Amino acid sequence: GTTSMPRPVGPAVAAGGAPSGGEPLFGAVRGLDTDRTLDNMVVGSYNRFAHAAAMSLLTSPGTLYNPLVVWGGPGTGKTHLVNAVGLRLQEQSPHDTVWLTSGSMLARAAGLAQAAGRQKELLDFAAAARALVIDDVHTTGVAEHNSDTLQKIMGAFLGAGKQVIVSSLYASKHMAPLETALGLRAEKAHVVELKTPNDAAQQAI
């Protein structure tokens, strides 16, 4: 079959303050993909616990399973699941922003903003957003040039009781330094694993 391009949705990101020819918010925002939903996600033994956790957090975002850490190998559906939850959070509150990004995008944006003395733009966006979804959080390079901004962004969500959802290629035990640096090792953190679907499930998907 043919693969269609994702259709991003969500409130537009204002380009105010972006340098001439620069990206809004230093390229820190990726649109939600309307093709990756909870309704078209195939649920089986390999992802049932992760799907259940996602459905539970949707009943009261920010209070249960926060942050939600979804991990698993390539092809297990991590991106689909975190995008689908973000999409549902957006549908629940259409006028609020669900910030979808990737670890590498966020790290780069934080570094650019910090170097330019303009981290307030990212922090204001974080303060106004309803939830933060980071795909491939393991690609977040935390260093001196961006750590302050990254920690403040996380604090703007977790400190305010707003939902954070991340996906990772690696289990939390292998991610401890990064999770500590980002402030993700919270008491309410909930970690779920996505396993590789069996052959029949892969055909269904």
Side-chain angles (χ1 to χ4, degrees):
T2 57
T3 304
S4 59
M5 291 296 289
R7 294 190 295 275
V9 299
V13 178
S20 178
E23 305 162 285
L25 288 169
F26 304 96
V29 180
R30 187 168 83 194
L32 290 161
D33 181 357
T34 57
D35 290 333
R36 288 173 165 159
T37 69
L38 287 171
D39 293 333
N40 65 21
M41 186 171 194
V42 179
V43 181
S45 58
Y46 48 89
N47 66 0
R48 185 167 288 120
F49 289 117
H51 184 268
M55 298 304 290
S56 294
L57 80 78
L58 286 167
T59 62
S60 187
T63 58
L64 186 68
Y65 305 149
N66 195 27
L68 176 66
V69 181
V70 177
W71 76 278
T76 52
K78 299 183 298 296
T79 296
H80 187 138
L81 180 60
V82 298
N83 181 95
V85 177
L87 201 58
R88 186 64 61 86
L89 286 168
Q90 184 74 77
E91 290 167 356
Q92 286 179 350
S93 190
H95 299 295
D96 292 325
T97 299
V98 172
W99 184 355
L100 173 66
T101 188
S102 71
S104 57
M105 289 169 68
L106 189 60
R108 174 179 174 271
L112 290 171
Q114 199 166 305
R118 289 166 50 199
Q119 65 177 187
K120 185 176 184 297
E121 294 172 32
L122 289 178
L123 299 181
D124 285 349
F125 189 72
R130 182 184 189 208
L132 175 65
V133 182
I134 308 174
D135 196 17
D136 293 332
V137 73
H138 58 275
T139 63
T140 313
V142 181
E144 189 175 340
H145 73 284
N146 65 7
S147 60
D148 182 64
T149 302
L150 287 169
Q151 287 170 6
K152 285 178 177 174
I153 288 170
M154 286 297 169
F157 286 94
L158 294 175
K162 297 193 292 186
Q163 185 67 50
V164 174
I165 304 160
V166 303
S167 76
S168 172
L169 195 60
Y170 307 107
S172 280
K173 64 182 178 182
H174 302 303
M175 295 274 294
L178 176 61
E179 290 184 353
T180 299
L182 291 176
L184 285 172
R185 298 182 79 77
E187 291 177 15
K188 295 180 183 175
H190 187 71
V191 181
V192 287
E193 181 185 2
L194 290 176
K195 296 183 171 68
T196 303
N198 58 33
D199 290 343
Q202 287 186 27
Q203 288 184 353
I205 293 167

